[in-house]
Amino acid sequence: MLEKLKEKLRRVKAKLTRKLEEKAAAPPEEEEEPEAKPKRPSRASPKLGVKRALKKAVGIELSPSDLEDILWDLQVSLLESDVAVPVADELINRVKNKLTGRKLGLREDPKKVAEAVLEEAMREILEAGEKVDLLQVVKAKNERNEPAVLVFFGINGTGKTTTIAKLAKYLQERGLRVVLAASDTFRAGGIEQLEVHARRLGVELVKQRQGADAAAVAYDAISHAKARGFQVVLVDTAGRMQTDRDLMDEMRKIVRVTRPDLRIFVGDALTGNDAVEQARTFNQEVGIDGSILCKMDADARGGAALSITYVTGKPILFLGVGQGYEDLVEFKPELILKPLLEEG
Ligand SMILES: Nc1nc2c(ncn2[C@@H]2O[C@H](COP(=O)(O)OP(=O)(O)OP(=O)(O)O)[C@@H](O)[C@H]2O)c(=O)[nH]1
Ligand SMILES: [Mg+2]
């Protein structure tokens, strides 16, 4: 996948370079209409940033070829912001459709128009699908005298266990009693890691030994919650590559046995192209009701949020913005759109 991205970038850059060379070789048409076509800036710096790419587009007529130039610049900057290739392609198509044939009024600032169009296209993707209100889901289940069951999954090291601890605190602060299920029985230290969080937060944890059946641990935790009147069960699971058949089968079993109210995909904001493949496979095999994107603090532009939402059609619920228990923020499109539209 990385190779494909590199190949695509190579092609994009080759095409841009070719265009620049063609422009340099062409007769200086600007002389007739010096204001109509600003010079293309140098590409010495590969990081364009969406805003800078848009700035380059200002003041030019949106003829098909100029539009193509804008779109290439935008595509490169989207890829640099970790937006996966198919999602960047989709965004570019949407921007193209919205801008094609668009007549700019005299008072309209082309930069603002292009910026607004890109933002609109991104927002369409981020807001697609029905809304999921985690607290409402919990409340609805509790009204039926049952605990809400939330299962978390994703590839290795994305932030599942840390997120569960953060969410336990978030739910506790809202007066809800939480049980953690240590269903990462696969990785050495997986159970202990969750146990440390449970102790620090003062929440209950249901566990078995390492190697135990993960679905059985989750089932026990749900039974425990029902018996003791707990309101939420958070099920931690082992990290697994979406290509690992056995562990994906195990994940399906956990979901079959626990019948979760929310199946939450936990992604890493620094994932680029692979976000699409991860989200697609987990969605097909397990089903995703919503996602949480961690490590947004780690120099991430948040392109992965677009990729995951585009593939699943389900919302991002929270962003992880650090390693502390407080570092969890409710998702709003602006939180992603701002860094994505920032200059590189
Ligand atoms: N900067 C930053 N680090 C995070 C965030 N969330 C998790 N981490 C860190 O990422 C590392 C992995 O987090 P875990 O919660 O263990 O990830 P996991 O998905 O449970 O990992 P596995 O169970 O091994 O698959 C830890 O060092 C966390 O502190 C976040 O939002 N920001
Ligand atoms: Mg974990």
Side-chain angles (χ1 to χ4, degrees), residues 101-115:
R102 177 137 180 187
K103 299 262 186 306
L104 297 183
L106 267 180
R107 291 177 183 211
E108 262 185 316
D109 176 351
K111 174 179 168 264
K112 290 228 161 63
V113 171
E115 219 175 77

Side-chain angles (χ1 to χ4, degrees), residues 155-163 166 184 187 193 236-239 294-298 320-323 327:
I155 72 155
N156 311 72
T158 53
K160 295 173 290 298
T161 307
T162 311
T163 299
K166 292 175 184 176
D184 177 0
R187 180 171 66 77
Q193 188 188 353
D236 190 19
T237 66
C294 301
K295 308 186 193 175
M296 267 306 289
D297 54 309
V321 294
Q323 294 175 288
D327 297 326

Side-chain angles (χ1 to χ4, degrees), residues 29-30 32-39 58-61 66:
E29 48 187 303
E30 286 94 333
E32 284 169 30
E33 268 180 40
E35 252 117 67
K37 261 194 165 197
K39 273 199 195 122
V58 305
I60 64 171
E61 205 177 288
D66 289 333

Side-chain angles (χ1 to χ4, degrees), residues 292-307:
I292 295 181
L293 195 62
C294 301
K295 308 186 193 175
M296 267 306 289
D297 54 309
D299 194 27
R301 292 263 185 94
L306 281 168
S307 307

Side-chain angles (χ1 to χ4, degrees), residues 157-203:
T158 53
K160 295 173 290 298
T161 307
T162 311
T163 299
I164 285 171
K166 292 175 184 176
L167 259 180
K169 183 165 164 59
Y170 173 94
L171 294 165
Q172 264 183 332
E173 284 171 354
R174 282 153 184 80
L176 295 161
R177 294 174 67 219
V178 178
V179 182
L180 307 184
S183 290
D184 177 0
T185 56
F186 184 74
R187 180 171 66 77
I191 298 169
E192 291 73 17
Q193 188 188 353
L194 192 66
E195 219 166 7
V196 169
H197 288 305
R199 232 185 350 259
R200 282 191 196 143
L201 292 165
V203 295

